[in-house]
């Protein structure tokens, strides 16, 4: 059977698919350790049951299958093999994420390790050396900057995949579409290693998605996300013609347009708010779609449509040798502005300036609230009684003139002295009833400050088993009439009206 026959490529895909399904079934049935299990936190993780988060092991099996098929085909054709560094670096970055899934690894150590892997990839010959004009013509050799671009590529893509892995089926879907896109490029350019590796990963990701679509039975974890990101970064550089590398990179960047936009908006939002850039939250674009009333599956299908469209646009630029690049750029720009408008995000310069000023105005308060919340997280392990801990929480809230609108007996307290009543959604089944002074920065400023306290409250509830009545947190069904005001939560100039501020907004 020749390596250019259709049956050979089908066998690769099916072998990876079957191996992926088998390995996931074994993991689900045989994993008995407490580590590697992901439980709900009431903020971003809302699964009903704990979920295994080491699905990246099945993707490593698929990657290994692809690597073996590639080297087998290259050796049979008398060509040099892909080389051990390609496999060793994949195993290294997977192991980095896998250890983090099991025990946790400081972010600084992960970053240094990823930089080391990027440098090693450069030394192994996986380099970005030329930036060419996508419409043909001149090309620019990077020279000494090649190392910087290469390391950035190998650090950015694994973290990009990891950052968007916040919804069932999302990261796996991105990886699947990128695998199929790279397989198409491998076929069009006559590049068997790229085609074989991409088909193997497509099979593994298809197997993974069978168990990862909502509601997920397994997560890929950091190990799987890092491996998928490394696969995209490394395989896009597999070519004997260094001048054609940039074309593949451009396709990958276009196909990853949505995750790149989502990540940039998240980092910009956190940076302007005074929060750590890498702090996880529930304000990504897919979270915003769910707040519009779409189910998880509907949101996922919408995003799959976006991924497929961007992949096709990227391929059109590659096939046309860049001549469709202006058209693709226009389509993406129009689609971006339309999406921002529908999602309620700033889509004009005036709106962007207004939100920028709001973020800067409340930045100091948000940073102060985050610092207090961090202290509360540490105190959670030190205080001896629940009453002492919750008193500290109330004292922290009082620094921002927040006071619970529920007494210790559970009865409602009326706000007075010009205060307004706030109902803040801290999770799908809990509403926080508070009194506060009318915020000069609008309800968005309240949302950002209160959100800093949510992890400390939910972690406190997990440790002590319950929440005190005088904290002001009620079951959502007791505030059903308030939830009906969701559409008017940002209504201006109504200081005495009930406002609903959601962690998902």
């Amino acid at each position: 059977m020749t390596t250019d026959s259709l049956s050979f490529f089908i066998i690769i895909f099916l072998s990876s698919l079957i191996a992926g399904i088998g390995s996931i079934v074994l993991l689900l049935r045989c994993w008995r350790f407490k580590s590697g299990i992901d439980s709900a936190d009431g903020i971003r993780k809302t699964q009903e049951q704990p979920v295994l988060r080491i699905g990246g092991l099945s993707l490593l099996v698929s990657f290994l299958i692809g690597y073996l098929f590639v080297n087998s085909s290259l050796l049979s054709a008398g060509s040099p093999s892909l080389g051990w560094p390609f496999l060793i670096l994949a195993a290294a970055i997977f192991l980095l994420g896998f250890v983090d899934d099991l025990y946790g690894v400081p972010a600084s150590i992960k970053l240094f390790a990823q930089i080391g892997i990027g440098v090693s990839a450069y030394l192994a010959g996986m380099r970005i050396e030329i930036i060419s004009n996508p419409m043909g013509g001149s090309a620019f050799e990077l020279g000494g900057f090649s190392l910087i671009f290469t390391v950035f590529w190998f650090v950015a893509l694994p973290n990009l995949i990891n950052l968007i892995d916040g919804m069932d089926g999302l990261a796996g879907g991105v990886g699947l579409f990128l695998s199929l896109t790279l397989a198409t490029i491998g076929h069009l350019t006559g590049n068997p290693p790229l085609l074989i590796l991409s088909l193997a990963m497509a099979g593994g990701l298809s197997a993974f998605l069978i168990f990862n679509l909502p509601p997920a039975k397994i997560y890929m974890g950091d190990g799987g996300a890092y491996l998928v990101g490394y696969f995209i970064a490394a395989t896009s550089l597999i070519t004997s013609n260094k001048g054609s590398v940039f074309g593949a990179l451009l396709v990958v960047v276009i196909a990853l347009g949505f995750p790149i936009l989502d990540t940039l908006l998240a980092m910009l939002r956190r940076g302007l708010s005074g929060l750590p850039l890498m702090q996880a939250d529930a304000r990504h674009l897919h979270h915003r779609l769910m707040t519009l009333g779409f189910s998880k599956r509907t949101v996922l299908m919408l995003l799959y449509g976006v991924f497929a469209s961007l992949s096709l646009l990227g391929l059109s630029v590659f096939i046309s040798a860049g001549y469709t690049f202006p058209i693709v750029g226009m389509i993406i720009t129009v689609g971006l502005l339309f999406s921002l408008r529908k999602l309620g995000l700033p889509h004009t310069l005036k709106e962007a300036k207004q939100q920028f000023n709001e973020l800067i105005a409340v930045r100091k308060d948000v940073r102060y609230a985050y610092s207090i919340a961090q202290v509360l997280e540490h105190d959670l392990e030190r205080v001896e009684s629940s009453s002492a801990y919750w008193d500290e929480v109330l004292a922290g809230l009082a620094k921002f003139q927040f006071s619970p609108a529920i007494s210790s007996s559970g009865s409602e307290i009326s706000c007075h002295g010009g205060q307004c009543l706030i109902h803040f959604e801290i999770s799908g089944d809990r509403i926080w009833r508070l009194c506060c002074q009318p915020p000069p920065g609008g309800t968005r400023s309240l949302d950002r400050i209160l959100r800093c306290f949510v992890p400390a409250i939910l972690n406190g509830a997990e440790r002590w088993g319950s929440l005190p009545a005088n904290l002001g947190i009620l079951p959502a069904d007791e505030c059903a009439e308030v939830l009906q005001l969701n559409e008017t939560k940002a209504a201006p100039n109504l200081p005495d009206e009930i406002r609903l501020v959601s962690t998902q907004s």
Side-chain angles (χ1 to χ4, degrees):
M1 185 181 301
T2 61
T3 57
D4 58 351
S5 64
L6 179 61
S7 56
F8 176 73
F9 297 125
I10 293 176
I11 288 175
I12 294 173
F13 180 84
L14 291 179
S15 299
S16 181
L17 177 69
I18 294 171
I21 293 175
S23 59
I24 291 177
V25 171
L26 284 175
L27 286 173
L28 292 175
R29 291 184 177 181
C30 301
W31 189 267
R32 294 293 181 267
F33 303 100
K34 292 183 178 180
S35 55
I37 304 295
D38 211 20
S39 300
D41 61 6
I43 309 172
R44 296 181 305 115
K45 306 171 185 178
T46 57
Q47 64 267 28
E48 295 181 0
Q49 300 293 332
V51 178
L52 196 63
R53 58 172 299 166
I54 56 170
L57 281 170
S58 68
L59 299 178
L60 183 63
V61 171
S62 298
F63 186 90
L64 180 60
I65 289 174
Y67 177 82
L68 294 176
F69 268 110
V70 167
N71 278 349
S72 175
S73 63
L74 289 175
L75 291 175
S76 63
S79 302
S81 63
L82 195 55
W84 286 107
F86 186 85
L87 178 62
I88 292 174
L89 292 177
I93 199 166
F94 168 78
L95 185 62
L96 174 65
F98 187 70
V99 172
D100 189 34
D101 291 328
L102 297 181
Y103 309 110
V105 177
S108 57
I109 294 179
K110 289 192 289 184
L111 178 60
F112 282 121
Q114 290 166 355
I115 292 175
I117 290 171
V119 173
S120 301
Y122 176 85
L123 296 176
M126 291 177 278
R127 305 176 180 178
I128 303 174
E129 296 180 332
I130 296 176
I131 293 180
S132 58
N133 186 341
M135 299 183 67
S138 61
F140 176 72
E141 293 190 9
L142 294 174
F145 291 100
S146 174
L147 174 61
I148 297 175
F149 275 78
T150 302
V151 171
F152 176 79
W153 185 248
F154 277 93
V155 172
L157 285 190
N159 284 290
L160 181 65
I161 300 298
N162 190 38
L163 284 171
I164 65 170
D165 189 21
M167 177 182 174
D168 298 348
L170 187 57
V174 172
L176 177 59
F177 281 104
L178 260 297
S179 298
L180 296 175
T181 301
L182 290 171
T184 303
I185 294 176
H187 173 69
L188 293 174
T189 58
N191 189 338
L194 178 57
L195 176 56
I196 293 171
L197 276 170
S198 299
L199 285 176
M201 283 302 291
L205 287 164
S206 298
F208 174 74
L209 285 173
I210 294 175
F211 301 90
N212 186 243
L213 292 175
K217 298 180 180 64
I218 192 169
Y219 296 150
M220 68 169 59
D222 286 7
Y226 287 168
L227 180 63
V228 171
Y230 171 84
F231 155 75
I232 297 170
T235 52
S236 60
L237 300 179
I238 297 178
T239 176
S240 58
N241 181 8
K242 293 300 180 183
S244 64
V245 167
F246 186 71
L249 300 187
L250 184 61
V251 174
V252 171
V253 171
I254 294 175
L256 286 172
F258 178 87
I260 291 173
L261 172 66
D262 190 24
T263 302
L264 289 176
L265 288 176
M267 296 181 71
L268 181 63
R269 180 183 65 246
R270 295 165 190 164
L272 293 176
S273 297
L275 298 173
L277 294 182
M278 303 304 292
Q279 183 194 22
D281 58 30
R283 302 188 71 196
H284 288 275
L285 296 179
H286 55 273
H287 291 119
R288 291 181 177 273
L289 285 171
M290 285 190 285
T291 62
L292 296 178
F294 295 107
S295 65
K296 281 188 176 181
R297 284 185 176 270
T298 302
V299 171
L300 196 61
M301 292 303 107
L302 287 172
L303 295 180
Y304 281 0
V306 173
F307 300 152
S309 300
L310 290 173
S311 297
L312 291 174
L313 290 173
L315 285 173
S316 72
V317 173
F318 185 84
I319 295 172
S320 67
Y323 285 104
T324 60
F325 188 72
I327 300 175
V328 169
M330 181 182 66
I331 293 174
I332 293 176
T333 301
V334 173
L336 173 62
L337 294 175
F338 177 80
S339 300
L340 291 176
R341 181 177 182 181
K342 289 298 182 181
L343 291 172
L345 293 169
H347 57 281
T348 65
L349 290 177
K350 181 179 179 180
E351 292 181 356
K353 181 179 179 181
Q354 180 182 357
Q355 185 151 349
F356 174 81
N357 291 334
E358 290 178 359
L359 287 170
I360 295 300
V362 76
R363 177 182 172 88
K364 289 184 178 180
D365 287 340
V366 171
R367 295 190 65 174
Y368 186 34
Y370 179 76
S371 300
I372 293 175
Q374 290 294 103
V375 172
L376 290 172
E377 291 278 0
H378 291 295
D379 287 346
L380 189 62
E381 304 297 329
R382 297 174 178 270
V383 296
E384 298 180 354
S385 65
S386 60
S387 59
Y389 179 76
W390 296 121
D391 285 344
E392 290 187 19
V393 172
L394 292 172
L397 291 170
K399 296 179 184 295
F400 300 93
Q401 297 183 324
F402 288 112
S403 60
I406 300 292
S407 67
S408 57
S409 61
S411 58
E412 295 184 2
I413 298 176
S414 299
C415 299
H416 53 82
Q419 291 181 320
C420 63
L421 181 62
I422 297 293
H423 285 79
F424 181 79
E425 181 184 351
I426 63 172
S427 65
D429 59 351
R430 291 175 178 148
I431 300 294
W432 203 355
R433 182 182 169 92
L434 296 163
C435 293
C436 72
Q437 294 297 324
T443 56
R444 286 181 179 176
S445 62
L446 298 179
D447 174 75
R448 296 183 180 99
I449 293 171
L450 289 175
R451 192 184 301 113
C452 295
F453 288 91
V454 172
I457 289 174
L458 294 179
N459 290 335
E462 182 179 355
R463 179 182 177 184
W464 306 113
S466 61
L467 293 168
N470 65 339
L471 197 61
I473 297 177
L474 301 172
D477 53 4
E478 294 185 17
C479 298
E481 72 281 1
V482 179
L483 294 176
Q484 297 174 0
L485 298 176
N486 187 47
E487 295 183 356
T488 63
K489 63 184 178 183
N493 303 322
L494 292 175
D496 298 324
E497 293 286 337
I498 295 176
R499 317 264 184 112
L500 176 66
V501 186
S502 170
T503 60
Q504 305 291 321
S505 65

